[in-house]
Amino acid sequence: MDVTEPAPPPTRAASKSAQTRQRILDAAAEVLSRKGYAGTRLSDVAAAAGVQAPAIYYYFASRDELVEEVMWVGAHRVRLHVEERLAAVPEDASPMDRLLVAVDAHLRYELQLSDYATASVRNAGHVPEQLRVRPAAEEALYSRLWRDLFVAAQQAGQVRADLDINIFRLLLLGAMNWVVEWWNPRTRSLDELVATAQGMVRHGAGVA
C-alpha cells in the first residue's frame, strides 16, 4: 500500500530565512505603530531588524507589500487572541460575561501585547485603498465575532431588546480602537481603562 512519507524538517537555511522574515515584520510593525504609514521608511525598518535595507526586498517586493502584511497580521492576531480568551471561558459563563472578557482581551492585546494590532488600527485610514483589501476581510471576520457575542447576549435577555446592537457594536469597537491614540499609562492604568470599557457595555447595553 502507499505510504505517505513525512515532510522533511526545514533546513537550517530555511529556518534562518523564516526568522529573518519574522524580524523584519516585527520591526515594521514597531516602526509603523510609531511613525505611521507616511513616516515609515525601509531604512528605519532595516535598522530595527538588524539587516541591510536591500535585504528586505528578498522577502517583500515593496514597502507597500510589507505594510499590507503587517496590517493583515495585526487584524488576524487580535481576532485569534480574543477567540482564544473566549475559548478558555467556563462553559457556564453568561453571554454578558463573554462580552466583558472580549472587551478585556481586545484592549490588553491592542495596548500591551502587540505592535501589530496598534499599527493596524492606527493606520487603517491612512494606507492606500489597495492595501486595505486583505486586512479588511480579516476585520470583517472579527466584526462578526462581536456581532455573534451581542446577539447571544440579547437573546439571553442580558442586552436590551430595543438596542440596535449593530450600531452599539461599531461604536464600541471604534472607541476601543481609538484608545491607542490617547491612552497614557502614566495617568490611567490599563485595569482602569478595561473596567471603564466593560462598564460601558454592562450599563450602556445591559438590562438594568
Side-chain angles (χ1 to χ4, degrees):
M1 76 181 172
D2 293 336
V3 177
T4 302
E5 295 191 12
T11 64
R12 182 176 299 179
S15 178
K16 183 177 180 181
S17 178
Q19 290 172 4
T20 302
R21 184 182 188 276
Q22 188 60 55
R23 282 209 321 276
I24 292 170
L25 265 179
D26 291 345
E30 190 273 329
V31 173
L32 192 62
S33 69
R34 287 190 297 106
K35 296 190 173 185
Y37 175 73
T40 293
R41 299 180 301 176
L42 289 184
S43 58
D44 295 331
V45 174
V51 301
Q52 297 296 317
I56 294 176
Y57 291 106
Y58 177 80
Y59 302 94
F60 301 96
S62 66
R63 170 180 174 269
D64 278 356
E65 183 178 296
L66 175 58
V67 169
E68 181 193 46
E69 184 69 8
V70 169
M71 300 279 288
W72 181 84
V73 169
H76 180 66
R77 287 186 180 177
V78 70
R79 177 174 66 84
L80 292 185
H81 178 74
V82 173
E83 286 178 344
E84 288 169 1
R85 285 285 308 277
L86 288 170
V89 172
E91 290 185 5
D92 60 350
S94 71
M96 177 59 75
D97 288 338
R98 290 175 58 80
L99 261 174
L100 300 183
V101 167
V103 169
D104 180 281
H106 179 100
L107 287 172
R108 291 187 191 280
Y109 190 79
E110 181 179 74
L111 298 173
Q112 195 173 47
L113 300 176
S114 176
D115 285 330
Y116 287 89
T118 303
S120 181
V121 167
R122 189 166 269 168
N123 292 280
H126 302 286
V127 298
E129 188 62 32
Q130 67 269 21
L131 301 189
R132 289 284 303 134
V133 177
R134 283 182 68 224
E138 185 64 34
E139 290 161 11
L141 294 175
Y142 188 49
S143 184
R144 284 199 287 274
L145 181 155
W146 282 89
R147 180 200 62 195
D148 292 345
L149 289 171
F150 272 102
V151 167
Q154 194 170 57
Q155 290 177 344
Q158 296 180 325
V159 161
R160 298 196 329 264
D162 66 331
L163 182 72
D164 187 323
I165 56 177
N166 287 321
I167 292 177
F168 192 91
R169 167 177 55 91
L170 294 173
L171 286 171
L172 176 66
L173 287 173
M176 291 196 298
N177 287 340
W178 189 249
V179 166
V180 299
E181 299 294 344
W182 59 261
W183 179 62
N184 183 343
R186 293 188 295 273
T187 59
R188 288 290 186 278
S189 73
L190 184 54
D191 288 343
E192 290 176 303
L193 180 65
V194 168
T196 299
Q198 289 175 326
M200 288 171 55
V201 174
R202 190 191 301 275
H203 303 297
V207 175

